[in-house]
């Protein structure tokens, strides 16, 4: 299609600048298919079979084979059940997680403005067909390969496709490719290729990989590897001693394999995926869609949140104040005429807050009817103004512009005469918290004449002040980031209770060359930043990260993408551009800061559930491994059989999944992974468990003189009951009763322990114990449970003496919010007005 001129292309596609009819578009959708790349479908049976391939499944399968060779058929049946259960649970949870990610992608589906039946409408990009006429503008990701129609040149970022860092200019008739980003301008374009037929064969992917491994997941997986190595080392010792004693090789090997399978964290990948998927669904209900599941953990640790002002801290509902006119008494330059000319330089269909406020400010007697828009140049961050060429009622053309007052003033031929009055008006408006908008119009000689200044005010959100206070109580310092002038930013910060220390970002480059250390300290200590450009956001995030902060950054524009990528947790606010959403880890579906704070609370709860699981898993592995190894080496006695070990693992893995839904209190401090506390608490609980197990072994053998078969059943029930009670110890930092467990966790533990008790009482695959001894074991385990809880509190007091206000253990406190910064004027930073 590239060798055809624009008219030939329209003829070939049987389309025109008026687009297609809806019926024709539907017909072509059937003919050409959806504008998306068909994902390669994985055979579900083959997918299921992959769960039987890998180090952990191999070990379980080896145990199955050895059980069959030794003709231990009960062992064979139960170990095979464990193998199948792990495969089914893993397959189902991954399938559910995949469905959840697909649902999130559907919510973030790219939209496109398309002309159908002569009317503009918004449709999902997947519904575009060759011949459609689309409208693309600043911040959009081009949804399909298209040729530009009549209009001004575009600046297009193709770096994601070609690697070229600089934007390319595209003229009328030239091609823009699917996946490129519009950096400047807006224009209509005709789609000529969709889906797999696009130049690069795929559309831009907005949702990043959901399988990224976070810092927390890496830490937990390292724990898993440590436990596996410990298990293999101790099992090697057991096997060596057993073989030296002349024990049967097959039985010894089978037991060693089963013990290894029971000790290693088989359920860890499943617990991780379930917990993260549950957390993502919870955040979605609160209006925050997670595009990278690992961001949940990052959000839990955020201690500095850089927040956009407009729309996040404020209502993004600009209201127009009384304009400043150079000559209020003159008909040609009165306040109403200032508003009227500003309205001519606006477009209602742009959905721009400033344009809406200006047009809404027209008086009842004013009307734009009869004025013909010849050309419109939209606002962009470089030129910082809009410009329109208009044909008036008399048929003569003139130009109008509105934008940053200093920019408009620099254009104007009458700037020398009006500069002092204009700057005085701007200062007066800024002192009252108003944003200023300069307005100019060309005269008969086509020279710009400054007309006046429009004051605009964006009131703070009603809940913003309380939300910021709540965030500070949670150890999160909110820093305002705005392109507005310094006085406006200071006024807004004062109303929101954020502190007055606002840094003027317009002088970052000048200051950085000779005073970088002072600048970095000021960035860390500042309450906010005014006159911020996108490149400043990246610098702010970088400096804060270098000083040890975990940074959240909000953004909505295409130029915010680098900062959103750079931040530990990039957050695209509601109504953000496609490019910003693509770079962010979390996308907000509702406006305001409160949804971010709610998301932080939820992510901290998720973190604590994972923390509880890590302590539990380590403690249980230590308990089983150390007790088994010591019993075999010291007493030459296998305290439980291979079948018992397998059933312990099976019941544990079945119940622990419910921890993903447990009740927890969010911490009032940013979460930090503290391996010293986690390993310390787990070791204490594990060693106490070994002591209590040997205590029961002594009572059974020496005091009550039970035979070895009954003692094995006794130990099995004790390990099962005490192991599950450990969940209730690790889930709280305080006493076990300080946080009520979720019903699902309570039911899961009670259910599995009822099964374990019935197995022991009636002797399924083991010597029956009877109800009397079973109740005695329960009483023994509960008595040690209360002792363990007291010792756990003592261990926390030693390992982590600094008290936390709420929540579970294993957490290290972040520093309090940054202290006061030096006054920005001490840096000598210049000031410049924004749009």
């Amino acid at each position: 299609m590239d060798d055809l001129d624009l008219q030939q292309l329209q003829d070939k596609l049987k389309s025109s600048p008026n687009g297609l009819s809806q019926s024709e578009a539907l017909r072509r959708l059937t003919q050409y298919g959806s504008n998306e790349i068909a994902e390669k479908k994985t055979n579900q049976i083959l997918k299921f079979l992959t769960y039987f391939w890998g180090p952990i499944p191999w070990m379980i399968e080896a145990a199955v084979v050895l059980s069959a060779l030794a003709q231990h058929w009960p062992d064979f049946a139960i170990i095979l059940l464990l193998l199948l259960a792990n495969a089914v649970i893993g397959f189902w949870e991954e399938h559910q997680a995949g469905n959840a990610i697909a649902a999130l992608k559907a919510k973030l589906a790219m939209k496109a403005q398309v002309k159908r039946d002569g009317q503009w409408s918004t449709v999902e990009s997947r519904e575009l067909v060759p011949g459609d006429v689309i409208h693309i503008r600043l911040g959009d990701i081009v949804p399909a390969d298209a040729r530009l129609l009549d209009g001004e040149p575009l600046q297009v970022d193709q770096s994601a496709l070609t690697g070229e860092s600089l934007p390319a200019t595209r003229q009328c008739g030239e091609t823009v490719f699917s996946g490129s980003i519009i950096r400047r301008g807006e224009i209509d374009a005709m789609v000529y290729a969709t889906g797999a037929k696009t130049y690069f064969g795929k559309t831009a992917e907005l949702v990043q990989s959901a399988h990224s491994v976070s810092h927390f997941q890496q830490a937990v997986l390292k724990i898993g590897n440590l436990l596996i190595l410990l298990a293999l080392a101790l099992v090697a010792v057991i096997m060596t001693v057993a073989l030296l004693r002349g024990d049967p090789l097959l039985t010894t090997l089978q037991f060693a394999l089963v013990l290894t399978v029971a000790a290693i964290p088989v359920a860890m990948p499943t617990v991780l995926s379930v917990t993260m998927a549950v957390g993502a669904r919870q955040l979605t209900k609160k209006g925050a869609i997670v595009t990278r599941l690992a961001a949940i953990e990052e959000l839990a640790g955020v201690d500095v949140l850089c927040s956009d002002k407009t729309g996040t801290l404020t209502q993004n509902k600009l209201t127009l104040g009384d304009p400043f006119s150079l000559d209020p008494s003159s008909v040609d330059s009165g306040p109403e005429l200032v508003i009227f000319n500003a309205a001519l330089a606006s477009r209602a269909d742009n959905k721009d807050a400033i344009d809406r406020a200006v047009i809404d400010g027209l008086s009842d007697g004013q009307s734009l009817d009869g004025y013909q828009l010849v050309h419109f140049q939209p606002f962009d961050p470089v030129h910082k103004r809009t410009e329109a060429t208009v044909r008036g009622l008399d048929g003569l053309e003139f130009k109008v512009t509105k934008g940053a007052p200093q920019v408009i003033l620099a254009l104007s031929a009458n700037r020398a005469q009006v500069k002092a009055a204009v700057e005085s008006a701007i200062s007066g408006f800024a002192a009252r918290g108003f944003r200023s908008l300069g307005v100019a119009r060309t005269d008969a000689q086509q020279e710009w004449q400054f007309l006046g200044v429009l004051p605009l005010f964006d009131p703070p959100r009603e809940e913003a002040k309380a939300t910021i206070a709540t965030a500070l109580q949670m150890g999160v310092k909110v820093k305002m980031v705005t392109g507005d002038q310094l006085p406006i930013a200071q006024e807004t910060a004062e109303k929101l209770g954020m502190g007055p220390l606002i840094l003027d970002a317009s002088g970052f480059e000048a200051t950085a060359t000779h005073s970088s250390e002072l600048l970095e300290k000021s960035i860390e200590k500042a309450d906010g930043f005014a006159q911020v450009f996108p490149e400043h956001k990246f610098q702010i995030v970088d400096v804060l990260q270098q000083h040890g902060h975990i940074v959240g950054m909000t953004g909505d524009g295409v130029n915010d993408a680098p900062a959103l990528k750079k931040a530990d947790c990039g957050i695209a606010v509601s109504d953000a551009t496609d490019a910003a959403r693509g770079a962010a880890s979390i996308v907000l579906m509702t406006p305001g800061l409160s949804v971010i704070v709610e998301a932080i609370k939820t992510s901290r709860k998720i973190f604590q559930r994972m923390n509880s699981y890590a302590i539990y898993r380590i403690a249980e592995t230590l308990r089983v491994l150390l007790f088994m190894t010591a019993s075999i080496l010291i007493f030459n006695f296998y305290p439980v059989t291979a079948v018992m070990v397998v059933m312990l693992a099976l019941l544990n893995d079945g119940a622990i999944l419910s921890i993903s839904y447990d009740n927890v209190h969010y911490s009032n401090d940013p979460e930090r992974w503290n391996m010293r506390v986690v390993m310390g608490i787990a070791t204490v609980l594990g060693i106490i468990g070994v002591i209590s197990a040997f205590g029961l072994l002594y009572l059974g053998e020496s005091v009550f003189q039970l035979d070895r078969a009954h003692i094995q059943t006794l130990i099995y029930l004790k390990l099962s009951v005490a192991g599950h009670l450990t969940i209730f110890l690790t889930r709280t930092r305080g006493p076990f009763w300080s946080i009520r467990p979720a019903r699902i966790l309570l039911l899961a533990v009670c259910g599995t322990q009822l099964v374990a008790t019935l197995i022991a009482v009636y002797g399924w695959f083991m010597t029956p114990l009877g109800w009397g001894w079973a109740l005695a074991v329960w009483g023994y385990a509960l008595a040690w449970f209360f002792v363990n809880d007291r010792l756990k509190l003592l261990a926390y007091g030693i390992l982590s003496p600094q008290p936390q206000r709420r929540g579970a253990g294993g957490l290290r406190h972040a520093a309090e919010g940054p202290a006061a910064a030096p006054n920005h004027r001490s840096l000598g930073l210049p000031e410049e007005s924004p749009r």
Side-chain angles (χ1 to χ4, degrees):
M1 297 274 185
D2 291 340
D3 56 343
L4 303 178
D5 63 32
L6 199 53
Q7 186 58 52
Q8 290 173 326
L9 178 68
Q10 292 177 23
D11 293 340
K12 184 175 180 62
L13 293 173
K14 297 179 181 178
S15 184
S16 71
N18 288 323
L20 304 172
S21 66
Q22 186 64 31
S23 59
E24 175 62 17
L26 290 174
R27 189 191 68 78
R28 294 191 183 193
L29 188 62
T30 304
Q31 178 184 354
Y32 295 105
S34 299
N35 178 33
E36 58 187 356
I37 303 301
E39 295 184 9
K40 185 179 180 181
K41 299 294 183 182
T42 304
N43 185 296
Q44 294 301 302
I45 295 176
L46 294 177
K47 180 69 176 176
F48 177 69
L49 292 177
T50 61
Y51 288 89
F52 297 93
W53 188 262
I56 292 175
W58 290 340
M59 296 174 76
I60 302 176
E61 288 156 10
V64 172
V65 172
L66 288 171
S67 297
L69 292 176
Q71 295 186 351
H72 292 173
W73 299 117
D75 298 15
F76 173 84
I78 294 179
I79 298 171
L80 185 61
L81 180 62
L82 173 65
L83 179 66
L84 292 172
N86 278 328
V88 170
I89 291 172
F91 173 77
W92 177 252
E93 289 302 335
E94 184 169 338
H95 179 69
Q96 291 293 93
N99 289 343
I101 298 304
L104 297 183
K105 287 187 176 184
K107 289 197 175 186
L108 290 180
M110 285 176 58
K111 307 288 185 181
Q113 277 190 294
V114 61
K115 184 179 281 190
R116 300 267 176 85
D117 293 320
Q119 300 292 323
W120 288 106
S121 61
T122 302
V123 302
E124 288 191 12
S125 297
R126 65 186 303 274
E127 297 177 11
L128 293 179
V129 296
D132 264 330
V133 172
I134 57 174
H135 186 74
I136 48 179
R137 55 176 298 190
L138 173 71
D140 286 349
I141 292 179
V142 180
D145 287 0
R147 295 277 288 276
L148 302 182
L149 300 176
D150 290 337
E152 294 294 315
L154 291 179
Q155 290 289 311
V156 182
D157 180 356
Q158 299 183 137
S159 57
L161 309 177
T162 65
E164 297 175 4
S165 58
L166 295 177
T169 302
R170 288 289 177 265
Q171 310 276 353
C172 169
E174 293 186 334
T175 298
V176 286
F177 294 117
S178 168
S180 53
I181 301 171
I182 306 304
R183 288 288 185 181
R184 187 185 303 170
E186 59 180 298
I187 197 172
D188 294 345
M190 180 171 289
V191 173
Y192 70 84
T194 59
K197 295 183 175 62
T198 56
Y199 181 73
F200 286 92
K202 62 182 180 179
T203 56
E205 186 67 37
L206 288 183
V207 182
Q208 300 178 32
S209 172
H211 302 289
S212 301
V213 180
S214 69
H215 299 142
F216 179 75
Q217 288 172 299
Q218 289 173 0
V220 174
L221 292 173
K222 284 179 182 177
I223 292 172
N225 292 334
L226 177 65
L227 296 181
I228 290 173
L229 291 175
L230 177 63
L232 293 176
L234 293 180
V235 165
V237 172
I238 291 173
M239 285 191 62
T240 303
V241 172
L243 292 175
L244 289 175
R245 288 173 177 168
D247 294 343
L249 177 61
L250 272 178
T251 303
T252 302
L253 190 58
Q254 180 205 17
F255 185 85
L257 276 169
V258 169
L259 181 60
T260 307
V261 169
I264 61 179
V266 176
M268 184 174 289
T270 304
V271 173
L272 280 171
S273 63
V274 172
T275 304
M276 291 297 179
V278 168
R281 288 196 292 268
Q282 290 173 343
L283 289 175
T284 301
K285 292 177 182 177
K286 296 182 183 296
I289 294 180
V290 179
T291 63
R292 184 174 62 91
L293 288 183
I296 293 173
E297 178 262 329
E298 306 288 5
L299 187 61
V302 165
D303 64 330
V304 175
L305 177 62
C306 297
S307 173
D308 274 350
K309 178 180 79 72
T310 304
T312 304
L313 299 176
T314 61
Q315 297 179 23
N316 198 20
K317 294 180 180 177
L318 293 178
T319 55
L320 198 62
D322 295 328
F324 162 77
S325 175
L326 290 172
D327 186 2
S329 61
S330 169
V331 176
D332 293 332
S333 58
E336 288 194 356
L337 199 64
V338 175
I339 298 174
F340 182 77
N341 282 281
L344 289 174
S346 307
R347 285 182 62 169
D349 58 354
N350 262 4
K351 298 180 181 179
D352 181 86
I354 292 177
D355 286 3
R356 281 201 306 267
V358 170
I359 292 172
D360 291 344
L362 290 169
S363 63
D364 294 338
Q366 292 178 308
S367 173
L368 303 181
D369 293 342
Y371 288 85
Q372 183 181 352
L373 184 63
V374 178
H375 173 72
F376 184 79
Q377 180 67 41
F379 177 88
D380 67 72
V382 177
H383 294 98
K384 304 182 81 171
R385 67 186 181 93
T386 65
E387 180 183 310
T389 302
V390 181
R391 184 173 293 113
L393 301 177
D394 56 4
L396 298 178
E397 290 187 4
F398 60 92
K399 293 182 179 180
V400 285
T401 186
K402 71 178 193 310
Q406 280 80 355
V407 173
I408 304 301
L409 197 60
L411 287 175
S412 304
N414 60 340
R415 59 183 172 274
Q417 299 94 321
V418 304
K419 184 176 181 180
V422 170
E423 289 183 345
S424 176
I426 293 171
S427 299
F429 286 142
R432 294 162 55 196
F434 285 90
R435 178 191 299 185
S436 294
L437 198 66
V439 182
R441 173 173 171 159
T442 55
D443 57 16
Q445 286 74 41
Q446 295 302 307
E447 291 186 335
W448 290 106
Q449 298 296 322
F450 198 95
L451 300 180
V453 181
L454 298 180
L456 295 164
F457 179 63
D458 185 9
R461 289 187 169 276
E462 294 180 2
E463 78 283 1
K465 186 173 183 179
T467 302
I468 291 169
T470 301
L472 193 59
Q473 290 174 357
M474 295 169 60
V476 180
K477 172 72 174 178
V478 180
K479 294 177 182 284
M480 179 172 64
V481 180
T482 178
D484 283 338
Q485 291 173 289
L486 185 66
I488 296 174
Q490 289 174 327
E491 177 79 11
T492 304
E494 183 179 351
K495 290 180 178 179
L496 294 173
M498 298 182 69
L501 299 168
I502 308 299
L503 201 63
D504 188 340
S506 62
F508 275 12
E509 292 82 359
T511 309
T513 56
H514 58 79
S515 183
S516 60
E517 186 176 349
L518 175 60
L519 177 63
E520 288 183 7
K521 288 181 179 178
S522 299
I523 287 175
E524 185 180 19
K525 296 176 181 178
D527 296 308
F529 308 90
Q531 304 206 130
V532 173
F533 282 86
E535 57 270 23
H536 297 146
K537 285 189 174 184
F538 187 94
Q539 184 179 0
I540 290 167
V541 172
D542 188 42
V543 168
L544 291 172
Q545 287 176 332
Q546 288 179 19
H547 284 75
H549 295 284
I550 296 181
V551 183
M553 168 66 79
T554 70
D556 63 354
V558 60
N559 292 326
D560 292 334
L564 293 174
K565 280 277 192 184
K566 174 68 175 170
D568 296 285
C569 188
I571 303 168
V573 299
S574 61
D575 297 326
T577 61
D578 290 337
R581 289 184 172 195
S585 301
I586 294 177
V587 178
L588 304 183
M589 304 306 290
T590 56
L593 187 67
S594 60
V595 64
I596 301 177
V597 174
E598 286 300 315
I600 290 174
K601 291 178 182 178
T602 301
S603 65
R604 290 185 183 181
K605 290 180 180 180
I606 295 164
F607 189 100
Q608 289 188 24
R609 293 183 186 113
M610 297 305 303
N611 191 76
S612 301
Y613 169 72
I615 298 174
Y616 163 79
R617 184 65 260 180
I618 298 169
E620 277 305 286
T621 299
L622 291 175
R623 180 177 300 177
V624 173
L625 279 178
L626 294 179
F627 175 63
M628 296 290 293
T629 304
S631 297
I632 294 169
L633 296 182
I634 298 172
F635 299 106
N636 192 21
F637 170 53
Y638 286 81
V640 290
T641 65
V643 170
M644 293 176 182
V645 173
V646 172
M647 285 193 292
L648 280 173
L650 187 61
L651 293 175
N652 277 355
D653 289 352
I656 197 62
L657 287 173
S658 61
I659 203 171
S660 304
Y661 301 89
D662 190 23
N663 294 329
V664 291
H665 292 161
Y666 67 83
S667 170
N668 274 341
D669 295 286
E671 305 286 18
R672 296 290 190 275
W673 183 245
N674 190 336
M675 188 65 73
R676 175 175 170 270
V677 173
V678 170
M679 292 297 295
I681 299 298
T683 302
V684 168
L685 293 176
I687 291 175
I688 296 170
V690 173
I691 293 171
S692 66
F694 274 117
L696 185 61
L697 179 61
Y698 171 79
L699 289 173
E701 189 168 47
S702 301
V703 176
F704 296 102
Q705 297 182 347
L706 296 174
D707 59 73
R708 288 286 175 96
H710 281 89
I711 288 175
Q712 285 180 325
T713 308
L714 204 71
I715 294 296
Y716 159 74
L717 185 57
K718 188 271 174 190
L719 290 177
S720 184
V721 172
H724 274 65
L725 290 177
T726 304
I727 296 175
F728 299 110
L729 297 175
T730 63
R731 60 181 294 277
T732 66
R733 180 190 175 105
F736 71 90
W737 43 261
S738 57
I739 304 175
R740 185 176 64 183
R743 180 178 297 179
I744 187 173
L745 176 63
L746 204 56
L747 290 174
V749 171
C750 291
T752 54
Q753 288 323 291
L754 177 60
V755 172
T757 303
L758 292 174
I759 289 173
V761 168
Y762 295 107
W764 298 332
F765 310 114
M766 62 188 70
T767 303
L769 198 60
W771 281 106
W773 281 112
L775 293 175
V777 171
W778 269 91
Y780 184 83
L782 286 170
W784 274 101
F785 173 77
F786 291 110
V787 172
N788 288 346
D789 196 47
R790 294 294 98 188
L791 293 174
K792 176 197 73 175
L793 297 178
L794 179 63
Y796 269 124
I798 296 171
L799 293 169
S800 182
Q802 185 176 4
Q804 261 194 316
R805 286 164 282 190
R806 303 170 71 180
L811 308 172
R812 182 175 65 211
H813 291 262
E816 291 298 320
N823 191 297
H824 76 283
R825 290 187 177 87
S826 67
L827 297 173
L829 301 179
E831 297 183 17
E832 179 188 344
S833 294
R835 179 184 179 186

